Amino acid sequence: DAKTTQPPSMDCAEGRAANLPCNHSTISGNEYVYWYRQIHSQGPQYIIHGLKNNETNEMASLIITEDRKSSTLILPHATLRDTAVYYCIVRVSGGYQKVTFGTGTKLQVIP
Amino acid sequence: SAVISQKPSRDICQRGTSLTIQCQVDSQVTMMFWYRQQPGQSLTLIATANQGSEATYESGFVIDKFPISRPNLTFSTLTVSNMSPEDSSIYLCSVESQGLAPTEAFFGQGTRLTVV
C-alpha cells in the first residue's frame, strides 16, 4: 500500500500558485518526501525532494511540516503545461528501495 | 541524471502473441525497474532487474507472463507473453541515480500497449 494520501484532483487558475497537499503520517525518520509528476502520455518526471527542511528549486517549492506528517508542493505560477498528475512518495534514499506510487493528484490548470 | 530510451513507444498487438519491450540507459546502473500503468491508474511495480541474476517479481506478477532479461548494466527487456486485452497498459522502465546524493528515480517515456 502507498504510504501517502493525496486529493484525487485539483484545479488552479493559470498564473496563480498551485498548492498540492500530501499526508504521510507514518513517515519514518530516514524517509525522504519526493514529488514526481506525469504529464499525459509521458513517463514520470522528478520535481523535488526533501527530508525535513523546506526546499526550493527552479520548478517548485516543498514545504514539510515540523512533525513531517504532511507536506505541500507549491508551483508558484502555474501554467497550462503544469497540467499533470502529481505523485507524492516517501522513501529511504539509497539501498534501491522499491518505490510505491499512490493515486496522485490530477492538477488541471485553467486558462 | 540518466536518459532512458524505450522501444517501441507504442504497439497494437493481437491477443495470444508476445511483445518484447526494450529499455536502454545512457549510463551503467545496478538495478532497473519495470512498471505497469493500467488506463487511468497509478504505476505498479512489476519487477526489479539485476544484471546477472533472476529478476525479482512483485506479488501478482510471474516470470512466465513477464520474462525479463538484463544482459548488461545498460540494457533490459520486458516481454509481455500470451497477451490478452487486460494487458493493455503503459509499461515503463525506471532506473535510480547512483552515488551519495539522495536517490532520484528516472523513467523512460513508456510503451503504450494495446491488445486487440
Side-chain angles (χ1 to χ4, degrees):
Chain A
D1 293 336
K3 300 179 183 179
T4 62
T5 56
Q6 299 175 251
S9 64
M10 293 181 64
D11 291 340
C12 178
E14 188 178 18
R16 303 296 296 270
N19 297 279
L20 292 92
C22 179
N23 287 323
H24 31 81
S25 58
T26 60
I27 191 170
S28 300
N30 61 346
E31 287 184 316
Y32 286 73
V33 180
Y34 284 77
W35 283 83
Y36 288 81
R37 74 179 182 185
Q38 187 175 24
I39 297 172
H40 182 64
S41 298
Q42 297 183 22
Q45 174 193 21
Y46 165 83
I47 301 173
I48 199 168
H49 71 272
L51 183 61
K52 53 184 178 181
N53 297 323
N54 297 338
E55 302 288 344
T56 295
N57 63 20
E58 65 279 3
M59 291 181 67
S61 294
L62 174 61
I63 308 298
I64 303 173
T65 58
E66 191 170 343
D67 63 7
R68 303 210 321 126
K69 293 184 177 182
S70 65
S71 61
T72 301
L73 178 74
I74 301 173
L75 308 177
H77 305 286
T79 70
L80 297 178
R81 288 179 293 181
D82 292 322
T83 293
V85 178
Y86 288 76
Y87 295 101
C88 169
I89 296 161
V90 295
R91 60 166 300 175
V92 174
S93 178
Y96 303 106
Q97 185 190 60
K98 176 179 76 171
V99 176
T100 300
F101 283 81
T103 53
T105 296
K106 182 172 175 54
L107 175 68
Q108 182 71 49
V109 180
I110 303 169
Chain B
S1 63
V3 177
I4 302 172
S5 300
Q6 271 188 245
K7 291 181 181 179
S9 59
R10 58 177 63 230
D11 207 343
I12 301 173
C13 300
Q14 296 290 325
R15 71 171 65 207
T17 64
S18 297
L19 175 71
T20 295
I21 302 167
Q22 299 179 6
C23 179
Q24 179 76 51
V25 188
D26 68 343
S27 58
Q28 294 185 339
V29 292
T30 304
M31 290 190 179
M32 297 176 77
F33 304 86
W34 286 98
Y35 288 83
R36 181 177 73 181
Q37 187 172 28
Q38 295 176 299
Q41 303 296 313
S42 184
L43 284 75
T44 301
L45 182 65
I46 298 171
T48 303
N50 274 334
Q51 191 267 334
S53 64
E54 292 278 341
T56 302
Y57 288 83
E58 297 297 308
S59 175
F61 298 96
V62 294
I63 188 171
D64 290 346
K65 176 66 176 178
F66 298 101
I68 289 171
S69 78
R70 183 78 202 275
N72 57 53
L73 291 174
T74 64
F75 187 77
S76 178
T77 67
L78 170 76
T79 299
V80 186
S81 303
N82 188 24
M83 288 183 285
S84 67
E86 291 70 34
D87 294 320
S88 297
S89 296
I90 299 173
Y91 292 86
L92 295 132
C93 171
S94 174
V95 303
E96 297 198 332
S97 59
Q98 316 287 290
L100 298 177
T103 305
E104 187 176 324
F106 302 94
F107 291 84
Q109 291 302 296
T111 297
R112 183 179 293 273
L113 170 62
T114 302
V115 184
V116 297

